[in-house]
């Protein structure tokens, strides 16, 4: 079993990650404060010393802690998403962690297909396919912070030999939530149908990012379900980490 530290473990993706790792790997949840149902290490990612202590003895770090809002201010993403991610990578390097799975986002590419430039979670009705190696076009300060996090991970992979997976995560929703949001106006509905990530696909994708033999490092891949309406390519995800999505927003909305 691999020993995995999971920052941001109390969020929706964090809880799905813990569920996906359960029974396969040893996971240490890390949260910003006490949360119901999670026995976690409590720390702030702005505290380097605390991260050093928390990561010691772990093989992999899954870094999810961030301000996840596309509406987040520059000050918030600067302190948590940018400075915090630097601290995570430095702590991973100094404590001998082998791999960092960085929770990036679909928002690093969303300006290719934005429906309304003032509303990041919208898409044009006839979107252009986007592949992992396309240049970044972030739609928000949040997206910018994740472009930074990917670049920082690339640096630590190239300079320090860390295995790095930049995992561009879609919109994790239960099927019931998907059906509710799919009734929104067309630009919003197009976006959610394209970006949907089902809970079970999230669990499997996060586990594969932790345990797969990587064909190269750093590696950037998209993590969404096998949606008919997706425009982010998941071919690379399936080939590189063995991701096998089971769900499709079109079928879940029938």
């Amino acid at each position: 079993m691999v020993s995995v530290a999971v920052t941001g473990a109390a969020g929706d993706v964090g809880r799905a990650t813990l569920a996906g790792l359960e029974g396969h790997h040893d996971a240490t949840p890390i949260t910003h404060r006490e949360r119901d149902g999670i026995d976690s290490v409590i720390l702030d990612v702005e505290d380097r010393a605390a991260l050093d202590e928390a990561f010691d003895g772990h093989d992999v770090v899954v870094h999810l802690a961030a301000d996840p809002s596309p509406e987040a201010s520059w000050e918030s993403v600067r302190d948590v998403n940018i400075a915090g991610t630097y601290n995570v990578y430095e702590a991973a390097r100094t404590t001998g962690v082998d791999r960092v799975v960085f929770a990036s986002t679909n928002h690093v590419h969303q300006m290719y297909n934005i429906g309304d430039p003032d509303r990041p979670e919208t898409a044009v009705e006839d979107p252009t396919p986007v592949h992992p190696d396309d240049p970044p076009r972030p739609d928000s300060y949040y997206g910018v912070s994740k472009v930074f996090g990917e670049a920082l991970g690339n640096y630590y992979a190239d300079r320090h030999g860390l295995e790095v997976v930049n995992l561009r995560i879609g919109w994790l929703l239960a099927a019931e939530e998907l059906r509710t949001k799919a009734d929104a106006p067309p630009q919003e509905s197009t976006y959610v149908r394209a970006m949907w990530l089902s809970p079970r696909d999230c669990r499997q994708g996060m586990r594969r990012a932790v345990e797969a033999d990587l064909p190269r490092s750093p590696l950037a891949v998209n993590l969404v379900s096998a949606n008919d309406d997706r425009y982010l390519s998941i071919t690379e995800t399936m080939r590189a980490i063995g991701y096998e999505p089971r769900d499709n927003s079109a079928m879940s909305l029938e």
Side-chain angles (χ1 to χ4, degrees):
M1 283 191 177
V2 172
S3 180
V4 187
V6 182
T7 73
D12 291 343
V13 177
R15 291 175 185 267
T17 300
L18 295 178
L21 296 177
E22 186 175 5
H24 300 276
H25 304 290
D26 294 325
T28 301
I30 298 173
T31 62
H32 183 61
R33 57 184 180 273
E34 290 186 7
R35 293 298 184 96
D36 292 343
I38 298 181
D39 181 14
S40 64
V41 175
I42 299 172
L43 58 79
D44 192 316
V45 293
E46 295 177 57
D47 186 341
R48 254 297 309 282
L51 285 168
D52 284 348
E53 184 175 353
F55 290 175
D56 189 39
H58 289 84
D59 306 302
V60 176
V61 168
V62 177
H63 179 40
L64 302 168
D67 184 333
S69 173
E71 307 297 335
S73 69
W74 169 250
E75 289 76 16
S76 179
V77 301
R78 177 195 63 200
D79 295 342
V80 180
N81 300 14
I82 292 179
T85 297
Y86 166 76
N87 287 337
V88 164
Y89 270 105
E90 269 295 284
R93 179 184 68 83
T94 58
T95 58
V97 167
D98 297 319
R99 178 179 300 185
V100 174
V101 177
F102 174 64
S104 188
T105 176
N106 63 90
H107 291 279
V108 303
H109 275 147
Q110 185 53 22
M111 285 303 291
Y112 281 102
N113 290 300
I114 197 81
D116 180 347
D118 294 324
R119 298 164 60 221
E121 293 178 341
T122 60
V124 294
E125 293 188 48
D126 187 20
T128 300
V130 180
H131 296 270
D133 58 354
D134 287 332
R137 288 184 64 186
D139 62 3
S140 55
Y141 288 135
Y142 169 65
V144 169
S145 74
K146 293 298 186 176
V147 172
F148 168 85
E150 290 194 15
L152 188 67
N154 295 348
Y155 168 80
Y156 275 81
D158 292 337
R159 185 69 179 270
H160 300 294
L162 271 175
E163 291 185 348
V164 172
V165 181
N166 292 314
L167 201 59
R168 296 168 182 161
I169 300 171
W171 196 346
L172 174 61
L173 295 168
E176 297 77 13
E177 296 174 291
L178 169 68
R179 285 189 282 271
T180 298
K181 292 185 180 296
D183 289 333
Q187 291 183 340
E188 297 173 32
S189 176
T190 298
Y191 178 82
V192 72
R193 288 168 178 265
M195 293 301 171
W196 186 51
L197 176 62
S198 74
R200 69 171 169 179
D201 284 344
C202 183
R203 292 191 295 269
Q204 192 248 138
M206 297 304 297
R207 180 165 65 85
R208 292 303 300 152
V210 165
E211 67 187 16
D213 292 331
L214 302 183
R216 61 189 177 279
S217 175
L219 174 72
V221 291
N222 297 313
L223 186 62
V224 297
S225 288
N227 308 315
D228 288 351
D229 298 318
R230 71 185 183 277
Y231 48 86
L232 296 183
S233 172
I234 58 173
T235 300
E236 299 83 357
T237 323
M238 297 168 70
R239 290 175 176 172
I241 65 172
Y243 175 51
E244 297 179 350
R246 302 280 300 279
D247 295 308
N248 179 343
S249 59
M251 295 181 66
S252 295
L253 291 170
E254 288 180 351

